[in-house]
Amino acid sequence: MTQPIFMIGARGAGKTTVGSALATALSYKFVDTDSYLLQTSRLSVAEIVEREGWEGFRRRETQALESISSPLTVVATGGGVVLAEHNRDFMRRSGTVIYLRSPASTLAHRLQASPLEDQRPTLTGKPITEEMQEVLNEREALYQAAAHIVVDGAQDPALVVDAILDALALPVAR
């Protein structure tokens, strides 16, 4: 398999952590859409949202997704990339989509343990656990529809990588 692998899930799901480890295990390149946007625009996600609104950010996110998707690449996407039907279709057609599924409590705990306010602007202004539950309620069906593979993202990252490798059925030296 040489097609790109897309990591999807809510904020705090571990897309960057697991995606980077997966890329290492597969000897693939790793790219994070938020980091790519930061490097190419010299603006954080929060700054883009402040200047252009969520619509402007989502437009840039789609452009980033398409720009960085290439063979032998693991792509960590933004949590809201699945909101656009175009993005869901693009990822499913172009590669393998892996959904790191975690409960809202796990996501909230991770976000509180490693806050990056300038990178992860609040979507609702509510307490983080409540916000994450709302986000999951809104997006769960979209994550499921986009995914080829669903993995329990609440586990230790090494176990998540092992589960993905098993699901991909790829021979990899571990």
Side-chain angles (χ1 to χ4, degrees), residues 1 9 22 38 46-47 52 61 63 66 72 76 79-81 83 87 103 114-115 120 145-146 150 154 156 162:
M1 179 176 90
L22 180 63
L38 180 64
E47 290 168 329
E52 302 174 20
E61 184 177 55
Q63 292 167 345
E66 293 176 354
L72 303 174
V81 75
L83 294 173
N87 293 344
S114 178
R120 298 173 171 167
V150 178
D156 179 86
D162 285 345

Side-chain angles (χ1 to χ4, degrees), residues 4 32 58 62 65 67 78 88 105 117-118 127 134 152 163 166:
D32 180 286
R58 296 292 179 213
T62 294
L65 178 68
S67 296
R88 295 189 308 271
S105 58
E117 286 86 2
D118 63 327
E134 283 187 21
D152 178 4
D166 288 345

Side-chain angles (χ1 to χ4, degrees), residues 11-133:
R11 290 183 298 150
K15 299 178 299 281
T16 299
T17 301
V18 170
S20 178
L22 180 63
T24 298
L26 295 172
S27 297
Y28 277 28
K29 184 172 89 172
F30 174 75
V31 185
D32 180 286
T33 57
D34 287 348
S35 295
Y36 177 83
L37 280 172
L38 180 64
Q39 291 169 356
T40 58
S41 70
R42 301 209 189 288
L43 298 170
S44 70
V45 172
E47 290 168 329
I48 294 170
V49 170
E50 185 178 315
R51 291 180 185 196
E52 302 174 20
W54 280 105
E55 185 178 316
F57 170 74
R58 296 292 179 213
R59 187 172 44 255
R60 284 180 182 249
E61 184 177 55
T62 294
Q63 292 167 345
L65 178 68
E66 293 176 354
S67 296
I68 63 179
S69 299
S70 60
L72 303 174
T73 303
V74 174
V75 178
T77 65
V81 75
V82 297
L83 294 173
E85 183 177 2
H86 170 82
N87 293 344
R88 295 189 308 271
D89 292 343
F90 173 80
M91 290 185 295
R92 283 193 63 82
R93 275 193 331 270
S94 304
T96 300
V97 183
I98 300 170
Y99 172 28
L100 298 181
R101 189 169 193 254
S102 297
S105 58
T106 299
L107 301 171
H109 175 75
R110 289 176 180 169
L111 292 171
Q112 289 168 333
S114 178
L116 295 171
E117 286 86 2
D118 63 327
Q119 285 296 309
R120 298 173 171 167
T122 179
L123 299 171
T124 65
K126 295 181 180 177
I128 193 66
T129 302
E130 189 177 331
E131 177 174 302
M132 295 316 301
Q133 189 59 59

